[in-house]
Amino acid sequence: MSALPRGITQVYWKNKTKSKEKIVKFRVRINKKVNGEQLKVDELCDTLEQAKDLLATYQSNIGRQTLNKIDLEQNEKAKKVADLLSSPPISFYIKQYVEQTLSPVDGETELKRRNRVSKLSFFKTIENTPIPDTQNEVAQPLLLAGGLLAQMAQKTIANGSKKRFGDFKPEQITYIEINEYIKARLSTPAMTGNRKNGLGRNVSKISVSRELTFIKKLFDNLKHQEHKFKNIPNPVIEHDKDLLKNRDPKNDYRLSDTDKEILFKALDEYPNPEMKQICLLSYYCGFRRSEIVPLLWEQVHLNENYIQLYSTKSGRPRKVIITKQAREILESIQKRENDPRLFTYSLLGFSGSVDKFLERIGLKDKGFRFHFFRREAISNLVFNIGQATGMDGSNFSILISELLGIENVRNLEKNHLSDLPTGLNTQNDIMKSVGHNNKQTTKRYSPIKLPTK
């Protein structure tokens, strides 16, 4: 065999198998400086031709440039890995926060599970929302320069690439990033529950405000995850409040006689009778969805005329007075053997079913939601009691304040309400039954349905 080119050596060894087969390889070795950088190559080839081709590639200018590029890319990757380990993105801390506060627990109630799923959905949305990257190496010096250069940089960023909110590091998220997050969400089309069809509008300001609440809680928690975040400012506090001012107006929708007829007819025709039973119990007694769907028979005290609730929004148990209409519904429900619950719906399953139901009959587009059954119950009780008793306005300050547009109910009242017989005879009784602590909260649920000609 002729002499091998410089940089190539022949290596061989015997196989350790019984055949003791002789293995021959050709090693390409290079160790020299290229453009001031040390070039090192040590590779084995199966044939001499492959070794010569590899050597020629590395010895050519293009080959050296390619190798340099590979080395640089490897160095960049190493730097990125080191940077990631020392300073992870906010998604890493979101995951830790979720594990600490939102992990499922043994004996978890359906309400708590529903709330946990809802919060997880919020964090998923927050992580995946793309916003302009003001931290990129090109734009950052221009932004710091201020003036016209900063304005040019802002336009470049707005028209340039974006990255997920979850990919930013905590220390990179300032009130500027929060402002960009708000703008991005407000320009995002709102979706239905199944996410197949849009609602024809963008995400509401109220929804974005809720998302900011979760971001704020996350930043408040960072100091408990790592000591270096002890004094990190919470970027949500300094965001541009004007972006969310004049939030969506209060939904004052009330069931008209026509809509009520449509609703009750559709409930009568619904294939699962539980839909009608749940909706009407809420309509007559003001139950929240999370209170009525998982209801147990042991909570229903027909003889004493009340239903005992334990898992409530406030966390405090309360008794709900059973109205005449509610009693008829409860007495019509058949008990199932070895099943302590009144209804078979899960909380999440019912939420999806009732949303589709209201959408199908056209009430959802008008603004009606299941929670409005509770609003109807409160408003009807206030109105009916006034009609039945004929008492003056001092006993119905909520009603008067709504008519006059007075925000503070307490300033309207000059005297305490007179005691009336037990049951749902005063607004205090109503508040106790529906689970409100003050008149102001009850007022928000009691828009007046003005009579029509």
Side-chain angles (χ1 to χ4, degrees), residues 272-339:
N272 187 345
E274 290 187 6
M275 175 66 72
K276 177 180 178 180
Q277 293 162 352
I278 294 172
C279 289
L280 292 187
L281 282 173
S282 180
Y283 179 81
Y284 291 125
C285 295
F287 289 108
R288 295 182 177 96
R289 173 170 29 195
S290 58
E291 296 168 346
I292 185 62
V293 175
L295 196 65
L296 304 178
W297 281 111
E298 65 182 31
Q299 298 174 252
V300 180
H301 302 273
L302 287 175
N303 292 337
E304 290 81 14
N305 208 46
Y306 73 91
I307 293 175
Q308 179 68 59
L309 297 180
Y310 300 102
S311 297
T312 65
K313 185 177 180 180
S314 66
R316 292 184 292 272
R318 80 171 193 271
K319 292 181 179 179
V320 176
I321 303 299
I322 299 175
T323 64
K324 177 183 177 182
Q325 299 93 331
R327 172 178 287 274
E328 293 175 357
I329 296 170
L330 291 169
E331 289 176 343
S332 71
I333 300 174
Q334 297 295 320
K335 292 185 178 181
R336 295 176 300 279
E337 188 175 357
N338 299 323
D339 190 346

Side-chain angles (χ1 to χ4, degrees), residues 67-200:
L67 187 64
N68 268 345
K69 183 179 179 182
I70 292 173
D71 288 341
L72 287 173
E73 287 177 350
Q74 290 176 342
N75 289 335
E76 285 298 320
K77 287 180 180 179
K79 289 179 182 177
K80 288 181 179 179
V81 170
D83 185 48
L84 180 64
L85 292 175
S86 63
S87 183
I90 193 70
S91 59
F92 171 81
Y93 297 101
I94 289 177
K95 182 179 180 181
Q96 289 199 151
Y97 179 76
V98 166
E99 290 176 351
Q100 292 172 6
T101 62
L102 298 177
S103 296
V105 296
D106 293 337
E108 183 180 50
T109 64
E110 195 169 2
L111 173 59
K112 289 183 178 179
R113 184 170 70 87
R114 179 171 173 264
N115 290 339
R116 177 168 54 82
V117 170
S118 176
K119 291 176 182 178
L120 289 174
S121 178
F122 271 109
F123 279 118
K124 184 177 180 180
T125 297
I126 291 168
E127 277 192 89
N128 291 328
T129 298
I131 65 172
D133 183 10
T134 62
Q135 307 290 335
N136 67 66
E137 296 178 356
V138 176
Q140 189 63 21
L142 299 178
L143 291 171
L144 294 175
L148 182 60
L149 288 176
Q151 294 179 24
M152 293 172 61
Q154 286 284 14
K155 291 182 179 179
T156 301
I157 292 169
N159 297 326
S161 61
K162 299 180 179 182
K163 72 177 183 180
R164 296 185 329 134
F165 188 86
D167 292 334
F168 284 83
K169 298 176 183 178
E171 53 269 31
Q172 292 177 326
I173 300 175
T174 68
Y175 66 93
I176 297 295
E177 280 66 40
I178 299 299
N179 290 341
E180 294 296 341
Y181 177 88
I182 295 171
K183 295 173 187 175
R185 292 293 293 142
L186 291 178
S187 62
T188 302
M191 305 297 290
T192 57
N194 57 19
R195 305 191 67 84
K196 290 182 180 179
N197 301 307
L199 297 175

